[in-house]
Amino acid sequence: MLVLGDAHATTAGRRRSLFAAYRAADESVAVQAGDLMYYDVPYQTYFIGGNNEDFDTIEALRNGRVESETVSNVTLLHSTAETVEGLRVAGLSGNYAPTQFDKPRAVLRGDRRRHFVRDDVEEAKQLEDVDVFVAHEAPNGLPVEEDYEVGCQYIDEILDALDPDVCLVGHHHQHAESEYGDTHVVGLEPAWESYYTLDPDTLAVDRYDTPPA
């Protein structure tokens, strides 16, 4: 299956790069790790919400209310799991903000809808038989370079509970790999730089350069 990091596909150039990755991979299904920002894609894509999205669309997808010519072939993973190419793929939508974490999701407004809350984490921890987990925050130990300390304890808690084989991480726009317990963690480069494939049989994740759009 195709695996994509952040797309930020709000400009024509970024959309061309996104579609170039879809074409180059030549798969029938994709998994995407947030900041997609364009929701009419070539083939079925299971994605999480990032911290940059059209949050009206994300909220509608979360509640099953989308009917639009500009939204097709996308399924939002929001503390939910789907069977994809024989694997159970789960995801947590959003990023962490300590000031919002203990609020009910229903009170989040505007851009604050980008965050996950405690209830989202607790729901994710109850999922079963997860092979691949997708997050927009990294667990502790992923070696990416930022101006702040990378690693979210709530992603750690989810990985502790689910023990997936693979965790795919967006947000940092850097390729990085680490191990969290028995879970292989892969930080994804953005779609305009790289695309990845995940072999459902071996769970190997391979990286390729996105071709010119």
Side-chain angles (χ1 to χ4, degrees):
M1 70 183 71
L2 171 62
V3 172
L4 294 166
D6 295 23
H8 292 267
T10 55
T11 67
R14 291 282 170 84
R15 286 194 292 274
R16 285 194 295 269
S17 292
L18 176 64
F19 277 60
Y22 275 97
R23 288 194 302 271
D26 193 27
E27 299 285 352
S28 59
V29 67
V31 173
Q32 197 275 335
D35 288 1
L36 181 56
M37 302 178 75
Y38 186 78
Y39 312 101
D40 183 8
V41 293
Y43 46 81
Q44 182 60 44
T45 298
Y46 298 87
F47 81 109
I48 59 168
N51 60 304
N52 295 284
E53 302 285 1
D54 178 333
F55 293 107
D56 289 338
T57 297
I58 295 298
E59 199 66 17
L61 286 167
R62 186 186 293 274
N63 291 287
R65 294 197 303 262
V66 164
E67 292 184 11
S68 169
E69 294 180 357
T70 61
V71 180
S72 64
N73 293 329
V74 291
T75 298
L76 180 70
L77 299 172
H78 53 102
S79 303
T80 55
E82 299 283 346
T83 300
V84 184
E85 298 289 304
L87 299 177
R88 288 290 286 169
V89 179
L92 176 73
S93 282
N95 70 333
Y96 174 61
T99 57
Q100 307 300 308
F101 184 67
D102 286 310
K103 294 181 179 180
R105 167 156 296 284
V107 306
L108 301 186
R109 296 288 183 267
D111 287 352
R112 286 300 190 182
R113 293 176 291 174
R114 73 184 61 186
H115 303 302
F116 60 75
V117 298
R118 186 178 297 279
D119 286 347
D120 298 328
V121 171
E122 293 305 316
E123 288 178 19
K125 288 160 65 174
Q126 300 306 310
L127 298 172
E128 297 181 349
D129 300 322
V130 172
D131 300 299
V132 178
F133 185 74
V134 190
H136 206 64
E137 291 275 9
N140 280 285
L142 187 66
V144 294
E145 297 180 2
E146 296 284 8
D147 294 332
Y148 57 91
E149 186 174 349
V150 174
C152 178
Q153 72 178 81
Y154 299 108
I155 303 301
D156 294 355
E157 289 182 8
I158 293 171
L159 297 186
D160 288 338
L162 303 185
D163 193 27
D165 295 288
V166 177
C167 176
L168 304 170
V169 178
H171 188 53
H172 298 289
H173 295 196
Q174 301 171 48
H175 178 82
E177 299 186 43
S178 64
E179 304 298 322
Y180 183 91
D182 294 329
T183 301
H184 183 56
V185 182
V186 182
L188 305 171
E189 287 189 335
W192 59 88
E193 294 182 1
S194 298
Y195 70 93
Y196 298 73
T197 59
L198 191 156
D199 186 320
D201 295 321
T202 66
L203 295 173
V205 180
D206 294 309
R207 176 175 49 152
Y208 305 90
D209 291 338
T210 298

